[in-house]
Amino acid sequence: ADVVTEPGPGAEPAPAPGQLGPPLVELRGVDKHFGALHVLKDIDLTVSRGEVVVIIGPSGSGKSTLCRTINRLETIDSGSIVIDGRELPEEGRDLARLRAEVGMVFQSFNLFAHRTVLENVTLGPIKAKGMKKAEATARATELLERVGVGNQAAKLPAQLSGGQQQRVAIARALAMGPKVMLFDEPTSALDPEMINEVLDVMVGLARDGMTMLVVTHEMGFARRAAHRVVFMDAGEIVEQADPETFFTAPRSERARDFLSKIL
Ligand code: ADP
Ligand code: MG
């Protein structure tokens, strides 16, 4: 089979919300402007170790910006971002180290076009972490197997389907050994028949206990894997709840309005 649909033997289901670990990502009073546009308004958000949080909300509400601030692809104007107990530095070597702890998967797969699939996964660990090539190759091979593209390792990205490329992008992020994975609309550029093969890999990761922040409108994923849904609108966190509660009984008018458009 080409697709990972089941977590491996011994994998536990996601812990119940009450059994989650200590805070891993903590945003406190985060504000961000683009010129006159106030894109993030006093955001407080804590993601616990092992927790899967889905962020949902209209286009332009600040979801991507929020993800990008968490690994300092965007600066913030005020507030603080703490990852695993350490404040995210503005720049320098500590920033590079902390960034390696935050894996990110984008809508566009962003693979290196002129490198093989295997090299796409080994380059980061070799260059940024000084890993030996043999070790990086062994780990990459294992990760590519895990996301169901082990037999594609020698190919160039363009020879793979979109769903396969996105799974390689997930393997590449995992190769850096992140503590948390951020996904920004990872399936919205995919043909419909490829969406599930990527979501299945993400569900597997979630069941294996990875801490994840996922921007997606895939409610099936939220229901299968998320502990919590966070609804954003116009730069604010408007409400949050477990998926069942959020999708069946949203409290705010804004969430009801949004859900009526996507359901
Ligand atoms: P979402 O991901 O929820 O669609 P974004 O975080 O991408 O929202 O964008 C939030 C707002 O910030 C939008 O109005 C967008 O046009 C604006 N924006 C995003 N990136 C930039 C940028 N680099 N410069 C100026 N405005 C931006
Ligand atoms: Mg976005």
Side-chain angles (χ1 to χ4, degrees):
D2 196 31
V3 179
V4 176
T5 48
E6 294 294 329
E12 298 293 325
Q19 300 165 347
L20 293 168
L24 187 59
V25 178
E26 294 175 271
L27 284 78
R28 291 277 165 269
V30 169
D31 268 289
K32 168 78 181 171
H33 293 77
F34 285 119
L37 188 66
H38 199 174
V39 277
L40 296 178
K41 300 174 184 164
D42 195 22
I43 298 287
D44 291 319
L45 180 67
T46 301
V47 183
S48 298
R49 192 181 297 277
E51 190 177 22
V52 179
V53 174
V54 160
I55 301 184
I56 188 170
S59 180
S61 55
K63 306 179 301 294
S64 293
T65 305
L66 180 68
C67 284
R68 292 166 60 82
T69 62
I70 294 175
N71 60 2
R72 282 270 194 261
L73 288 172
E74 299 284 357
T75 57
I76 58 176
D77 300 335
S78 57
S80 72
I81 301 174
V82 173
I83 295 180
D84 205 13
R86 285 173 302 184
E87 180 109 17
L88 200 56
E90 296 278 345
E91 55 192 10
R93 193 173 294 186
D94 284 350
L95 175 58
R97 186 172 44 74
L98 277 187
R99 237 181 217 157
E101 297 181 350
V102 181
M104 185 142 181
V105 175
F106 302 89
Q107 178 175 336
S108 51
F109 326 124
N110 293 337
L111 296 174
F112 305 119
H114 302 292
R115 300 288 196 160
T116 65
V117 162
L118 181 69
E119 287 167 341
N120 265 276
V121 183
T122 58
L123 280 176
I126 291 171
K127 295 211 157 146
K129 305 193 94 172
M131 195 181 284
K132 292 274 195 307
K133 191 176 175 190
E135 188 190 350
T137 300
R139 289 183 39 146
T141 303
E142 201 178 296
L143 285 167
L144 289 170
E145 289 289 339
R146 179 171 173 193
V147 302
V149 291
N151 51 357
Q152 313 290 324
K155 292 185 181 169
L156 290 172
Q159 297 174 281
L160 272 58
S161 72
Q164 289 173 325
Q165 288 184 57
Q166 192 61 306
R167 286 183 278 142
V168 174
I170 293 171
R172 183 176 62 173
L174 291 173
M176 296 295 283
K179 290 179 176 169
V180 53
M181 287 279 289
L182 310 178
F183 293 86
D184 189 1
E185 304 209 32
T187 60
S188 48
L190 296 176
D191 292 333
E193 73 272 19
M194 294 173 187
I195 290 175
N196 278 331
E197 66 192 49
V198 172
L199 293 178
D200 286 345
V201 167
M202 293 167 59
V203 169
L205 263 185
R207 300 227 164 111
D208 286 347
M210 177 60 77
T211 308
M212 295 165 59
L213 195 61
V214 184
V215 178
T216 185
H217 294 166
E218 294 289 338
M219 280 170 291
F221 173 80
R223 282 207 153 98
R224 282 166 77 195
H227 297 99
R228 180 155 53 113
V229 174
V230 169
F231 174 68
M232 283 185 74
D233 189 22
E236 295 171 323
I237 292 179
V238 176
E239 70 175 274
Q240 40 188 319
D242 65 276
E244 196 55 36
T245 304
F246 178 77
F247 291 122
T248 56
R251 289 189 310 274
S252 67
E253 185 59 42
R254 285 197 273 179
R256 282 196 291 273
D257 182 55
F258 175 73
L259 288 173
S260 75
K261 286 173 183 151
I262 65 162
L263 282 171

